[in-house]
PDB file of all heavy atoms in Angstrom:
ATOM      1  N   LYS A1300     -83.629   6.308 -40.692  1.00 73.00           N
ATOM      2  CA  LYS A1300     -83.075   5.490 -39.595  1.00 73.00           C
ATOM      3  C   LYS A1300     -81.590   5.275 -39.836  1.00 73.00           C
ATOM      4  O   LYS A1300     -81.184   4.893 -40.928  1.00 73.00           O
ATOM      5  CB  LYS A1300     -83.812   4.142 -39.555  1.00 73.00           C
ATOM      6  CG  LYS A1300     -83.097   3.024 -38.810  1.00 73.00           C
ATOM      7  CD  LYS A1300     -83.203   3.180 -37.308  1.00 73.00           C
ATOM      8  CE  LYS A1300     -82.480   2.041 -36.596  1.00 73.00           C
ATOM      9  NZ  LYS A1300     -83.073   0.712 -36.838  1.00 73.00           N
ATOM     10  N   GLN A1301     -80.785   5.526 -38.832  1.00 74.00           N
ATOM     11  CA  GLN A1301     -79.347   5.275 -38.935  1.00 74.00           C
ATOM     12  C   GLN A1301     -79.045   3.839 -38.495  1.00 74.00           C
ATOM     13  O   GLN A1301     -79.458   3.411 -37.430  1.00 74.00           O
ATOM     14  CB  GLN A1301     -78.573   6.238 -38.043  1.00 74.00           C
ATOM     15  CG  GLN A1301     -78.626   7.679 -38.484  1.00 74.00           C
ATOM     16  CD  GLN A1301     -77.859   8.563 -37.538  1.00 74.00           C
ATOM     17  OE1 GLN A1301     -76.725   8.268 -37.182  1.00 74.00           O
ATOM     18  NE2 GLN A1301     -78.471   9.653 -37.109  1.00 74.00           N
ATOM     19  N   PHE A1302     -78.293   3.135 -39.317  1.00 73.00           N
ATOM     20  CA  PHE A1302     -77.817   1.799 -38.950  1.00 73.00           C
ATOM     21  C   PHE A1302     -76.374   1.946 -38.482  1.00 73.00           C
ATOM     22  O   PHE A1302     -75.499   2.301 -39.269  1.00 73.00           O
ATOM     23  CB  PHE A1302     -77.919   0.864 -40.155  1.00 73.00           C
ATOM     24  CG  PHE A1302     -79.340   0.555 -40.554  1.00 73.00           C
ATOM     25  CD1 PHE A1302     -79.929   1.183 -41.639  1.00 73.00           C
ATOM     26  CD2 PHE A1302     -80.093  -0.354 -39.825  1.00 73.00           C
ATOM     27  CE1 PHE A1302     -81.234   0.909 -41.996  1.00 73.00           C
ATOM     28  CE2 PHE A1302     -81.406  -0.633 -40.167  1.00 73.00           C
ATOM     29  CZ  PHE A1302     -81.980  -0.010 -41.255  1.00 73.00           C
ATOM     30  N   MET A1303     -76.137   1.627 -37.217  1.00 73.00           N
ATOM     31  CA  MET A1303     -74.878   2.033 -36.610  1.00 73.00           C
ATOM     32  C   MET A1303     -74.031   0.899 -36.047  1.00 73.00           C
ATOM     33  O   MET A1303     -72.937   1.152 -35.576  1.00 73.00           O
ATOM     34  CB  MET A1303     -75.175   3.021 -35.456  1.00 73.00           C
ATOM     35  CG  MET A1303     -75.920   4.262 -35.864  1.00 73.00           C
ATOM     36  SD  MET A1303     -74.909   5.410 -36.801  1.00 73.00           S
ATOM     37  CE  MET A1303     -73.895   6.104 -35.507  1.00 73.00           C
ATOM     38  N   ASP A1304     -74.517  -0.333 -36.035  1.00 73.00           N
ATOM     39  CA  ASP A1304     -73.749  -1.366 -35.335  1.00 73.00           C
ATOM     40  C   ASP A1304     -73.795  -2.690 -36.086  1.00 73.00           C
ATOM     41  O   ASP A1304     -74.375  -2.803 -37.159  1.00 73.00           O
ATOM     42  CB  ASP A1304     -74.258  -1.532 -33.907  1.00 73.00           C
ATOM     43  CG  ASP A1304     -75.701  -2.033 -33.858  1.00 73.00           C
ATOM     44  OD1 ASP A1304     -76.299  -2.233 -34.929  1.00 73.00           O
ATOM     45  OD2 ASP A1304     -76.239  -2.187 -32.745  1.00 73.00           O
ATOM     46  N   ILE A1305     -73.205  -3.719 -35.506  1.00 73.00           N
ATOM     47  CA  ILE A1305     -73.089  -5.020 -36.156  1.00 73.00           C
ATOM     48  C   ILE A1305     -74.458  -5.660 -36.358  1.00 73.00           C
ATOM     49  O   ILE A1305     -74.667  -6.422 -37.296  1.00 73.00           O
ATOM     50  CB  ILE A1305     -72.154  -5.945 -35.323  1.00 73.00           C
ATOM     51  CG1 ILE A1305     -71.678  -7.118 -36.165  1.00 73.00           C
ATOM     52  CG2 ILE A1305     -72.828  -6.409 -34.055  1.00 73.00           C
ATOM     53  CD1 ILE A1305     -70.593  -6.779 -37.139  1.00 73.00           C
ATOM     54  N   PHE A1306     -75.427  -5.343 -35.486  1.00 74.00           N
ATOM     55  CA  PHE A1306     -76.770  -5.892 -35.641  1.00 74.00           C
ATOM     56  C   PHE A1306     -77.474  -5.318 -36.881  1.00 74.00           C
ATOM     57  O   PHE A1306     -78.457  -5.885 -37.368  1.00 74.00           O
ATOM     58  CB  PHE A1306     -77.621  -5.602 -34.401  1.00 74.00           C
ATOM     59  CG  PHE A1306     -77.166  -6.356 -33.183  1.00 74.00           C
ATOM     60  CD1 PHE A1306     -76.463  -5.720 -32.175  1.00 74.00           C
ATOM     61  CD2 PHE A1306     -77.438  -7.695 -33.034  1.00 74.00           C
ATOM     62  CE1 PHE A1306     -76.039  -6.407 -31.059  1.00 74.00           C
ATOM     63  CE2 PHE A1306     -77.031  -8.407 -31.907  1.00 74.00           C
ATOM     64  CZ  PHE A1306     -76.323  -7.756 -30.920  1.00 74.00           C
ATOM     65  N   SER A1307     -76.973  -4.177 -37.370  1.00 79.00           N
ATOM     66  CA  SER A1307     -77.584  -3.541 -38.523  1.00 79.00           C
ATOM     67  C   SER A1307     -77.329  -4.298 -39.826  1.00 79.00           C
ATOM     68  O   SER A1307     -78.097  -4.165 -40.776  1.00 79.00           O
ATOM     69  CB  SER A1307     -77.059  -2.105 -38.675  1.00 79.00           C
ATOM     70  OG  SER A1307     -77.339  -1.324 -37.544  1.00 79.00           O
ATOM     71  N   LEU A1308     -76.239  -5.073 -39.874  1.00 80.00           N
ATOM     72  CA  LEU A1308     -75.868  -5.729 -41.126  1.00 80.00           C
ATOM     73  C   LEU A1308     -76.956  -6.681 -41.631  1.00 80.00           C
ATOM     74  O   LEU A1308     -77.355  -6.594 -42.798  1.00 80.00           O
ATOM     75  CB  LEU A1308     -74.538  -6.444 -40.961  1.00 80.00           C
ATOM     76  CG  LEU A1308     -73.333  -5.544 -40.654  1.00 80.00           C
ATOM     77  CD1 LEU A1308     -72.073  -6.382 -40.485  1.00 80.00           C
ATOM     78  CD2 LEU A1308     -73.130  -4.520 -41.747  1.00 80.00           C
ATOM     79  N   PRO A1309     -77.458  -7.623 -40.800  1.00 83.00           N
ATOM     80  CA  PRO A1309     -78.523  -8.493 -41.322  1.00 83.00           C
ATOM     81  C   PRO A1309     -79.812  -7.743 -41.615  1.00 83.00           C
ATOM     82  O   PRO A1309     -80.540  -8.098 -42.545  1.00 83.00           O
ATOM     83  CB  PRO A1309     -78.719  -9.516 -40.179  1.00 83.00           C
ATOM     84  CG  PRO A1309     -78.166  -8.873 -38.966  1.00 83.00           C
ATOM     85  CD  PRO A1309     -77.048  -8.009 -39.440  1.00 83.00           C
ATOM     86  N   GLU A1310     -80.105  -6.681 -40.857  1.00 85.00           N
ATOM     87  CA  GLU A1310     -81.318  -5.908 -41.097  1.00 85.00           C
ATOM     88  C   GLU A1310     -81.243  -5.197 -42.457  1.00 85.00           C
ATOM     89  O   GLU A1310     -82.195  -5.231 -43.246  1.00 85.00           O
ATOM     90  CB  GLU A1310     -81.545  -4.899 -39.976  1.00 85.00           C
ATOM     91  CG  GLU A1310     -82.864  -4.165 -40.088  1.00 85.00           C
ATOM     92  CD  GLU A1310     -83.164  -3.307 -38.859  1.00 85.00           C
ATOM     93  OE1 GLU A1310     -82.382  -3.359 -37.886  1.00 85.00           O
ATOM     94  OE2 GLU A1310     -84.177  -2.596 -38.873  1.00 85.00           O
ATOM     95  N   MET A1311     -80.100  -4.568 -42.741  1.00 85.00           N
ATOM     96  CA  MET A1311     -79.940  -3.890 -44.030  1.00 85.00           C
ATOM     97  C   MET A1311     -79.966  -4.896 -45.181  1.00 85.00           C
ATOM     98  O   MET A1311     -80.567  -4.652 -46.226  1.00 85.00           O
ATOM     99  CB  MET A1311     -78.627  -3.120 -44.045  1.00 85.00           C
ATOM    100  CG  MET A1311     -78.640  -1.869 -43.197  1.00 85.00           C
ATOM    101  SD  MET A1311     -77.160  -0.850 -43.417  1.00 85.00           S
ATOM    102  CE  MET A1311     -75.915  -1.874 -42.645  1.00 85.00           C
ATOM    103  N   HIS A1345     -84.196 -11.243 -31.765  1.00 81.00           N
ATOM    104  CA  HIS A1345     -83.305 -10.811 -30.688  1.00 81.00           C
ATOM    105  C   HIS A1345     -83.995 -10.929 -29.320  1.00 81.00           C
ATOM    106  O   HIS A1345     -83.487 -11.585 -28.411  1.00 81.00           O
ATOM    107  CB  HIS A1345     -82.879  -9.360 -30.946  1.00 81.00           C
ATOM    108  CG  HIS A1345     -81.708  -8.940 -30.137  1.00 81.00           C
ATOM    109  ND1 HIS A1345     -80.999  -7.787 -30.394  1.00 81.00           N
ATOM    110  CD2 HIS A1345     -81.113  -9.485 -29.057  1.00 81.00           C
ATOM    111  CE1 HIS A1345     -80.025  -7.651 -29.512  1.00 81.00           C
ATOM    112  NE2 HIS A1345     -80.079  -8.663 -28.679  1.00 81.00           N
ATOM    113  N   ASP A1476     -69.540  -0.700 -28.489  1.00 87.00           N
ATOM    114  CA  ASP A1476     -69.507  -0.792 -29.948  1.00 87.00           C
ATOM    115  C   ASP A1476     -70.694  -0.105 -30.608  1.00 87.00           C
ATOM    116  O   ASP A1476     -70.889  -0.241 -31.809  1.00 87.00           O
ATOM    117  CB  ASP A1476     -69.418  -2.254 -30.402  1.00 87.00           C
ATOM    118  CG  ASP A1476     -70.632  -3.072 -29.976  1.00 87.00           C
ATOM    119  OD1 ASP A1476     -71.541  -2.515 -29.323  1.00 87.00           O
ATOM    120  OD2 ASP A1476     -70.667  -4.280 -30.291  1.00 87.00           O
ATOM    121  N   HIS A1477     -71.493   0.636 -29.828  1.00 84.00           N
ATOM    122  CA  HIS A1477     -72.619   1.377 -30.401  1.00 84.00           C
ATOM    123  C   HIS A1477     -72.561   2.811 -29.899  1.00 84.00           C
ATOM    124  O   HIS A1477     -72.606   3.056 -28.690  1.00 84.00           O
ATOM    125  CB  HIS A1477     -73.947   0.725 -30.017  1.00 84.00           C
ATOM    126  CG  HIS A1477     -75.105   1.194 -30.865  1.00 84.00           C
ATOM    127  ND1 HIS A1477     -75.608   2.465 -30.779  1.00 84.00           N
ATOM    128  CD2 HIS A1477     -75.830   0.559 -31.821  1.00 84.00           C
ATOM    129  CE1 HIS A1477     -76.613   2.601 -31.637  1.00 84.00           C
ATOM    130  NE2 HIS A1477     -76.767   1.452 -32.276  1.00 84.00           N
ATOM    131  N   LEU A1478     -72.487   3.766 -30.833  1.00 84.00           N
ATOM    132  CA  LEU A1478     -72.284   5.154 -30.446  1.00 84.00           C
ATOM    133  C   LEU A1478     -73.413   5.694 -29.591  1.00 84.00           C
ATOM    134  O   LEU A1478     -73.177   6.445 -28.635  1.00 84.00           O
ATOM    135  CB  LEU A1478     -72.129   6.030 -31.694  1.00 84.00           C
ATOM    136  CG  LEU A1478     -70.953   5.703 -32.615  1.00 84.00           C
ATOM    137  CD1 LEU A1478     -70.883   6.721 -33.747  1.00 84.00           C
ATOM    138  CD2 LEU A1478     -69.654   5.677 -31.848  1.00 84.00           C
ATOM    139  N   SER A1480     -76.272   3.748 -28.110  1.00 79.00           N
ATOM    140  CA  SER A1480     -76.683   2.914 -26.986  1.00 79.00           C
ATOM    141  C   SER A1480     -75.613   2.818 -25.905  1.00 79.00           C
ATOM    142  O   SER A1480     -75.930   2.638 -24.729  1.00 79.00           O
ATOM    143  CB  SER A1480     -77.018   1.495 -27.472  1.00 79.00           C
ATOM    144  OG  SER A1480     -78.147   1.516 -28.325  1.00 79.00           O
ATOM    145  N   ASP A1481     -74.339   2.939 -26.295  1.00 84.00           N
ATOM    146  CA  ASP A1481     -73.257   2.768 -25.325  1.00 84.00           C
ATOM    147  C   ASP A1481     -72.613   4.077 -24.880  1.00 84.00           C
ATOM    148  O   ASP A1481     -72.364   4.279 -23.693  1.00 84.00           O
ATOM    149  CB  ASP A1481     -72.159   1.878 -25.923  1.00 84.00           C
ATOM    150  CG  ASP A1481     -72.531   0.403 -25.911  1.00 84.00           C
ATOM    151  OD1 ASP A1481     -73.122  -0.038 -24.911  1.00 84.00           O
ATOM    152  OD2 ASP A1481     -72.240  -0.292 -26.895  1.00 84.00           O
ATOM    153  N   ILE A1496     -65.398   0.658 -30.138  1.00 93.00           N
ATOM    154  CA  ILE A1496     -64.845  -0.503 -30.817  1.00 93.00           C
ATOM    155  C   ILE A1496     -65.440  -0.565 -32.221  1.00 93.00           C
ATOM    156  O   ILE A1496     -66.640  -0.747 -32.381  1.00 93.00           O
ATOM    157  CB  ILE A1496     -65.145  -1.809 -30.052  1.00 93.00           C
ATOM    158  CG1 ILE A1496     -64.662  -1.695 -28.594  1.00 93.00           C
ATOM    159  CG2 ILE A1496     -64.512  -2.998 -30.753  1.00 93.00           C
ATOM    160  CD1 ILE A1496     -63.169  -1.474 -28.452  1.00 93.00           C
ATOM    161  N   PRO A1498     -64.863  -2.645 -35.504  1.00 90.00           N
ATOM    162  CA  PRO A1498     -64.143  -3.772 -36.141  1.00 90.00           C
ATOM    163  C   PRO A1498     -63.693  -3.467 -37.568  1.00 90.00           C
ATOM    164  O   PRO A1498     -62.634  -3.950 -38.010  1.00 90.00           O
ATOM    165  CB  PRO A1498     -65.169  -4.908 -36.112  1.00 90.00           C
ATOM    166  CG  PRO A1498     -66.097  -4.568 -34.994  1.00 90.00           C
ATOM    167  CD  PRO A1498     -66.180  -3.067 -35.001  1.00 90.00           C
ATOM    168  N   GLU A1499     -64.480  -2.678 -38.317  1.00 90.00           N
ATOM    169  CA  GLU A1499     -64.138  -2.375 -39.714  1.00 90.00           C
ATOM    170  C   GLU A1499     -62.829  -1.595 -39.838  1.00 90.00           C
ATOM    171  O   GLU A1499     -62.235  -1.519 -40.919  1.00 90.00           O
ATOM    172  CB  GLU A1499     -65.255  -1.578 -40.374  1.00 90.00           C
ATOM    173  CG  GLU A1499     -66.575  -2.326 -40.509  1.00 90.00           C
ATOM    174  CD  GLU A1499     -67.469  -2.180 -39.283  1.00 90.00           C
ATOM    175  OE1 GLU A1499     -66.979  -1.657 -38.253  1.00 90.00           O
ATOM    176  OE2 GLU A1499     -68.642  -2.580 -39.359  1.00 90.00           O
ATOM    177  N   PHE A1576     -71.591   9.095 -39.682  1.00 85.00           N
ATOM    178  CA  PHE A1576     -71.105   8.152 -38.664  1.00 85.00           C
ATOM    179  C   PHE A1576     -69.765   8.607 -38.103  1.00 85.00           C
ATOM    180  O   PHE A1576     -69.544   8.584 -36.887  1.00 85.00           O
ATOM    181  CB  PHE A1576     -70.973   6.753 -39.269  1.00 85.00           C
ATOM    182  CG  PHE A1576     -70.229   5.785 -38.394  1.00 85.00           C
ATOM    183  CD1 PHE A1576     -70.859   5.170 -37.315  1.00 85.00           C
ATOM    184  CD2 PHE A1576     -68.895   5.495 -38.627  1.00 85.00           C
ATOM    185  CE1 PHE A1576     -70.182   4.292 -36.503  1.00 85.00           C
ATOM    186  CE2 PHE A1576     -68.203   4.612 -37.813  1.00 85.00           C
ATOM    187  CZ  PHE A1576     -68.849   4.012 -36.749  1.00 85.00           C
TER     188      PHE A1576
END
Side-chain angles (χ1 to χ4, degrees):
K1300 161 76 180 296
Q1301 292 179 48
F1302 292 102
M1303 301 288 285
D1304 64 0
I1305 197 76
F1306 291 104
S1307 300
L1308 297 179
E1310 186 172 356
M1311 287 188 290
H1345 195 167
D1476 62 0
H1477 196 290
L1478 299 184
S1480 295
D1481 283 320
I1496 305 299
E1499 296 88 349
F1576 168 79

